[in-house]
Amino acid sequence: MGHDCIFCKIIKNEIPSERVYEDDFCICIRDLHPQAKVHLLVIPKVHVASLEEAFPAAGVGQEELLGKLMKAVTAIARKQALLPGGFRTVINTNHEGGQSVFHLHLHVLGGETLRGRFA
Ligand code: DGP
């Protein structure tokens, strides 16, 4: 658990957020600065800083964690009526990838026809 981690504080309800989903493993909140009509963040409760940290060059990777996150994303998208229309999932990794909060999270964007393929 990262003591100064914003998302750890949100998970512990020390910082308020609009939670749309929660289970034992992850939470889903609305992004503070939405980039689409619907912009959600799916955040695992365990503190893993990034995709890089989830899959170190040597040692055990977090395949199960990522699999569970993708399953949660799809279930949440269904509940939020983003399916069958569709949605976009983004994971920003490290500084050049645009990551600003170093607690692994998946962006879920939708609720409209998204312009551009990757931005
Ligand atoms: P990234 O750049 O991929 O690390 O995305 C971090 C996202 O987190 C960014 O879109 C804004 C969002 N965010 C940052 N702080 C907060 C917060 O306190 N509450 C909520 N709901 N979202 C936040």
Side-chain angles (χ1 to χ4, degrees), residues 69-90:
L69 282 172
M70 297 311 284
K71 189 176 176 184
V73 161
T74 310
I76 291 162
R78 279 201 186 90
K79 282 190 180 169
Q80 295 290 315
L82 299 179
L83 287 172
F87 63 95
R88 181 172 296 163
T89 304
V90 174

Side-chain angles (χ1 to χ4, degrees), residues 11 13 19-28 45 76:
I11 289 161
N13 281 312
R19 229 171 255 226
V20 302
Y21 173 86
E22 176 169 12
D23 62 24
D24 289 346
F25 164 76
C26 69
I27 63 167
C28 177
K45 287 185 173 175
I76 291 162

Side-chain angles (χ1 to χ4, degrees), residues 6-7 10 15-18 29-35 39 41 43 90-94 97-103 105-107:
I6 291 171
F7 287 172
I10 287 175
I15 293 175
S17 66
E18 195 183 335
I29 62 171
R30 291 196 191 279
D31 196 289
L32 204 53
H33 307 297
Q35 304 296 310
H39 186 168
L41 300 171
I43 307 170
V90 174
I91 302 176
N92 295 323
T93 303
N94 293 354
Q99 185 173 7
S100 60
V101 177
F102 283 79
H103 180 131
H105 54 281
L106 289 89
H107 295 260

Side-chain angles (χ1 to χ4, degrees), residues 45-60:
K45 287 185 173 175
V46 62
H47 182 88
V48 175
S50 67
L51 207 53
E52 182 188 22
E53 189 176 287
F55 295 102
V60 180

